[in-house]
Amino acid sequence: MNTSAVPVPSGTFTIGKTFTFEAGHRLPGLPPEHKCSRQHGHSYEVEVIVTASALEAPGFVTDFGALAPFKRYLDTELDHRNLHEVLPLEPTSERLAQYLAGWFIENLQPTIPGRLAAVRVRETSRSWARFDVEGQ
């Protein structure tokens, strides 16, 4: 089989990297009988999804190691915290995904190739929320 004859299609490259942290929260806007209105915690998984139309040498959207400042932020500001005490918002997974997208765009995106496409926040193995970035 001659692999040099395979046509290379045009398109967009996408990578993702998952980070974790532990934190507690509650959702006081829910009725008192709702279990999420009470203080509880999650082992959060946060996935950042980065895209580019062209690759940087040696063939990356961005080097996974360049995402380390995002991990440091999660570890120092959110890990083992009550999210109500450290975030300026009601910490639903949806709002947390949007907030983390904003942090990434403001603090990390100017220093890396590619652009943030989305952030997904997983509270449990079966529940997640995703924020898709528009207009970049």
Side-chain angles (χ1 to χ4, degrees):
M1 176 178 191
N2 181 2
T3 59
S4 64
V6 174
V8 177
S10 61
T12 302
F13 299 94
T14 303
I15 63 168
K17 184 158 179 78
T18 302
F19 304 90
T20 61
F21 70 96
E22 309 287 329
H25 75 143
R26 62 186 179 84
L27 302 175
L30 293 171
E33 62 275 6
H34 193 288
K35 66 181 181 178
C36 293
S37 70
R38 298 184 297 273
Q39 184 70 30
H40 62 284
H42 296 288
S43 296
Y44 286 98
E45 287 186 4
V46 178
E47 182 181 17
V48 294
I49 300 162
V50 181
T51 66
S53 57
L55 299 177
E56 298 288 318
F60 293 158
V61 169
T62 192
D63 187 332
F64 287 115
L67 303 177
F70 186 73
K71 175 63 173 158
R72 278 193 298 279
Y73 174 76
L74 296 176
D75 288 348
T76 60
E77 301 301 322
L78 302 182
D79 189 47
H80 285 80
R81 308 277 182 154
N82 183 334
L83 297 181
H84 285 278
E85 296 173 0
V86 296
L87 294 176
L89 49 87
E90 184 80 11
T92 63
S93 291
E94 294 86 345
R95 289 185 175 138
L96 183 55
Q98 183 182 34
Y99 175 84
L100 292 173
W103 188 94
F104 189 101
I105 291 165
E106 181 74 19
N107 295 282
L108 189 54
Q109 186 160 288
T111 67
I112 64 170
R115 69 169 188 84
L116 184 68
V119 173
R120 182 167 58 180
V121 172
R122 183 178 295 278
E123 287 186 349
T124 71
S125 63
R126 297 177 305 222
S127 303
W128 57 266
R130 177 175 159 152
F131 179 78
D132 293 308
V133 178
E134 295 179 354
Q136 286 202 80

